[in-house]
Amino acid sequence: MDVDTGGGAGGTGVAVIADDHGRGGSPGRGPGGGRHGAAGRGRLMAGLRRRLVKRRIRIRRTRGRRLRRALVVLLTLLANLVGAAVVAYHLTKIPEPHPETAMQSTVFVDDHGDYLGRRGPVDRQEIPLSQVPRYVQEAVIAAENRSFRTDTGISPKAIARAAWSTVSGGGRQGGSTITQQYVKNALLSPQQSLSRKAREALISIKLDRTRSKDEILQGYLNTVYFGRGAAGIQSAARNYFGVDAKDLTVSQGAALASVINIPSYYEKAGSDPKVTAKLVDRWEWVLDAMAHSGAITSAQRAGARFPAFRFYPPGDTDGQRQYLIDAAASEAADRLGITEDQLARGGYTVRTTFDLTAQDATAELAADGTEKKTGEKTAEEKAAEAKAGGKKRAEVKTTGDVRVHTAVVALVPGDGAVRVLYGGADYATQPFNDARDGAVEAGTALQPFSGMKLLAPLTDLTRTAAPTPLRLASAYATAAAHGVYATPYTVAKITRAGRTLYEAHPRTRTAMTRADAGMVAKLLYGRLDAPLATQTGAAGLRTLWQTTYDEHLTLTVALFAEHPAKGKKAALPAPLPYTAGSRSLSVSEGVWSKIAGTAEGHDPAAEPNPGLPTGQTKPILATR
């Protein structure tokens, strides 16, 4: 029914009640409008009020009981959860690092400590925390977990956020503590699930309670991924800046700490301007936090400059360096009494005797096609042409392709340290090392030793038709050292986690008399009337040798040619081209000037070498 108050103009203001059929009625009269209808509605409302009052009274009377029941249920639930957590905590064991994390690579460096290369499945080396500067440690803490020194190993907020994200189907959530990241990276799988996250939290708490913060930080820094294939701070320092972790500057340390956030993106810094700009912003943020916490001074913060990164991706180094690594790896494994595979996975640092700058220069000289032209031919070249029927190298006809091989060896007389070992142009196409293992026809290269009584290990030298370039260089180094033979070596020192495991000492013995050594020197010095002894030998037109020495350095260059193997047809010797003589001379002079101290006006006598005879010294490398 409808109600009309009649509030319009001229109305009486009396309510008119219309029934469902639109018929009007006056108050208290007509169908549905009598006293009995009003009374019925009153009784209904009164009954409703009484029931509401009774319900309120009942609720008030039972409120305490119901609250107590709810509290008991809640406490029981909490007790069960706590009990389950305590049981889970005690049953949880800290797992051993998984195999991938435990793997390390072995790094090879040259005589100056410059990075040569590595061997191993993972580019990672463990180092003690003491070898990571404190400001680098603090940079990582500022970037990844500023409460690390005081937290319990977990971040409840981060765990709750990650749990909610997992349940709601959201994306991956970060914010884990350094302890949690270490547990996830080194001890658990990276899968994202509630059960794994719970186990991660339990292990993190237990790890924090049973190990020191420094132990946890050390484990984290040795396993966290920095991009560029580098796992751990030591490999990252080398890959990004070419230095050891202990030599990182404040700016470099802050940059590496900034990379951890998104390593696959930030690894391109230095070569991608957009990436570099974003990393600079994060680097500034890390340094500001370090200054605020007192990890660095305000002066250090003001003086910080964004560091220069090494180019990425790096160039191919297999062309030459793998020859050196092969030789050093074989020797290092032998010195430690392990296999080369164990060496590669052991996390060692092998300091070699090589001079990488001189080695690279040798590679350039050996590959240079614009050789210097020499004047009159040497007696050896004339003799070689006579033996070949009077034909000159240029007149000898060849069929098919001819490949010219160059092998170069430079070592220290009386000591045996090998400075250069050039065994081929490209390891990828020829892994065989001509300098160390190649048998090169000697011809007249051994004539100065004819008729001498040589002692071991040179006893059968003059009866060897095709010595290796390394062995022939060792023979002339013996003459340079007044008859003292020094076993050639390529490994100077082997360390692991800062501890020295092996250090080389010259192994020498007398292999010829001092008088015979003097005869060789007199013969070779007299031929050239020069301060350096030089011997040029050949085997017909097939090989060409040139050895130059003084008391400080012995350098041997060997050239030979062959027709490369084709199918089932084996490689065959071939005559050298006419330019072989000038090529040999160019390589010899270039390498000598690069290595010998006199190239920069140094006096080799100023650097004594206990491994040499009295009054003798080792060469001062021009690149030192």
Side-chain angles (χ1 to χ4, degrees), residues 181-252:
Q181 290 183 56
Y182 171 59
V183 170
K184 178 181 66 177
N185 294 336
L187 310 181
L188 297 177
S189 67
Q191 77 176 94
Q192 296 294 312
S193 67
L194 285 175
S195 60
R196 195 208 59 79
K197 197 70 179 176
R199 188 166 179 238
E200 174 191 302
L202 287 171
I203 295 174
S204 297
I205 293 171
K206 198 161 194 174
L207 199 67
D208 189 78
R209 290 174 63 87
T210 57
R211 298 185 188 175
S212 69
K213 290 290 187 181
D214 280 352
E215 287 180 284
I216 295 170
L217 184 60
Q218 175 177 294
Y220 175 76
L221 289 174
N222 277 323
T223 55
V224 66
Y225 184 62
F226 284 88
R228 297 196 175 189
I233 189 72
Q234 175 73 345
S235 295
R238 284 205 173 110
N239 287 6
Y240 281 90
F241 302 112
V243 300
D244 289 328
K246 62 182 176 62
D247 298 319
L248 287 168
T249 65
V250 171
S251 293
Q252 290 171 339

Side-chain angles (χ1 to χ4, degrees), residues 323-324 327 354 359 408-409 418-423 433 435-436:
Y323 290 112
L324 308 183
F354 303 122
Q359 182 77 24
V408 183
V409 176
V418 178
R419 299 302 186 205
V420 171
L421 192 67
Y422 180 86
N433 191 323
R436 186 180 67 161

Side-chain angles (χ1 to χ4, degrees), residues 3 69 73 87 99 152 169 178 224 279 283 307 329 350 355 380 394 477 490 507 535 573 589 595:
V3 179
R69 286 177 181 174
V73 172
V87 171
T152 60
I178 281 176
V224 66
L279 186 60
W283 173 79
V350 179
D355 176 2
E380 286 76 9
T490 63
R507 292 185 292 172
Q535 202 278 340
E589 290 181 350
I595 299 177

Side-chain angles (χ1 to χ4, degrees), residues 402-606:
V402 175
R403 181 180 179 186
V404 177
H405 292 250
T406 303
V408 183
V409 176
L411 49 80
V412 179
D415 180 282
V418 178
R419 299 302 186 205
V420 171
L421 192 67
Y422 180 86
D426 188 0
Y427 185 90
T429 58
Q430 180 199 304
F432 184 81
N433 191 323
D434 287 330
R436 186 180 67 161
D437 305 312
V440 182
E441 194 174 0
T444 60
L446 293 175
Q447 278 186 347
F449 300 102
S450 299
M452 290 186 182
K453 183 180 180 180
L454 300 175
L455 305 177
L458 300 180
T459 307
D460 62 345
L461 178 66
T462 55
R463 297 192 299 273
T464 304
T468 66
L470 180 60
R471 191 178 188 207
L472 188 135
S474 298
Y476 280 99
T478 301
H482 311 296
V484 176
Y485 175 87
T487 303
Y489 67 95
T490 63
V491 175
K493 191 176 183 180
I494 305 174
T495 60
R496 186 182 187 186
R499 187 165 61 95
T500 299
L501 303 178
Y502 168 80
E503 193 160 9
H505 298 284
R507 292 185 292 172
T508 61
R509 62 182 303 170
T510 299
M512 67 177 67
T513 65
R514 192 177 184 90
D516 283 343
M519 287 290 293
V520 173
K522 183 177 181 181
L523 175 65
L524 301 187
Y525 276 107
R527 279 183 179 178
L528 297 178
D529 191 23
L532 300 177
T534 300
Q535 202 278 340
T536 301
L541 301 178
R542 298 179 299 278
T543 67
L544 182 63
W545 294 83
Q546 182 163 313
T547 297
T548 304
Y549 76 78
D550 63 9
E551 290 187 339
H552 316 294
L553 182 67
T554 297
L555 173 66
T556 293
V557 178
L559 276 73
F560 66 96
E562 67 175 9
H563 296 295
K566 288 186 178 181
K568 295 182 179 180
K569 188 177 181 181
L572 296 173
L576 287 165
Y578 176 71
T579 56
S582 58
R583 182 188 186 93
S584 175
L585 183 62
S586 173
V587 172
S588 182
E589 290 181 350
V591 176
W592 184 277
S593 65
K594 195 70 178 179
I595 299 177
T598 53
E600 290 190 357
H602 297 300
D603 178 10

Side-chain angles (χ1 to χ4, degrees), residues 85-116:
V86 170
V87 171
Y89 175 83
H90 286 290
L91 292 178
T92 297
K93 294 182 179 180
I94 299 175
E96 292 295 323
H98 45 74
E100 292 80 3
T101 304
M103 289 181 183
Q104 300 185 63
S105 63
T106 285
V107 169
F108 296 81
V109 299
D110 80 344
D111 187 53
H112 312 287
D114 293 333
Y115 182 73
L116 184 60

Side-chain angles (χ1 to χ4, degrees), residues 125-318:
Q125 280 194 303
E126 286 191 4
I127 57 173
L129 193 63
S130 59
Q131 291 189 17
V132 182
R134 181 73 178 194
Y135 49 76
V136 176
Q137 300 175 35
E138 294 301 326
V140 172
I141 291 172
E144 293 297 304
N145 179 197
R146 296 180 184 179
S147 64
F148 170 71
R149 300 286 185 189
T150 57
D151 64 34
T152 60
I154 65 170
S155 170
K157 289 183 179 180
I159 293 175
R161 186 170 60 247
W164 173 252
S165 178
T166 302
V167 171
S168 62
R172 178 181 175 182
Q173 293 292 317
S176 297
T177 64
I178 281 176
T179 306
Q180 287 176 268
Q181 290 183 56
Y182 171 59
V183 170
K184 178 181 66 177
N185 294 336
L187 310 181
L188 297 177
S189 67
Q191 77 176 94
Q192 296 294 312
S193 67
L194 285 175
S195 60
R196 195 208 59 79
K197 197 70 179 176
R199 188 166 179 238
E200 174 191 302
L202 287 171
I203 295 174
S204 297
I205 293 171
K206 198 161 194 174
L207 199 67
D208 189 78
R209 290 174 63 87
T210 57
R211 298 185 188 175
S212 69
K213 290 290 187 181
D214 280 352
E215 287 180 284
I216 295 170
L217 184 60
Q218 175 177 294
Y220 175 76
L221 289 174
N222 277 323
T223 55
V224 66
Y225 184 62
F226 284 88
R228 297 196 175 189
I233 189 72
Q234 175 73 345
S235 295
R238 284 205 173 110
N239 287 6
Y240 281 90
F241 302 112
V243 300
D244 289 328
K246 62 182 176 62
D247 298 319
L248 287 168
T249 65
V250 171
S251 293
Q252 290 171 339
L256 288 182
S258 303
V259 165
I260 296 174
N261 180 245
I262 318 176
S264 60
Y265 178 75
Y266 287 130
E267 68 182 2
K268 303 178 186 67
S271 57
D272 186 318
K274 183 179 178 181
V275 174
T276 303
K278 287 192 174 183
L279 186 60
V280 169
D281 289 341
R282 185 168 175 80
W283 173 79
E284 296 272 8
W285 174 73
V286 170
L287 285 174
D288 288 342
M290 293 175 69
H292 180 72
S293 67
I296 57 175
T297 65
S298 56
Q300 287 176 307
R301 174 65 188 95
R305 298 292 181 271
F306 191 74
F309 282 30
R310 296 179 69 186
F311 180 77
Y312 183 81
D316 182 15
T317 61
D318 282 350

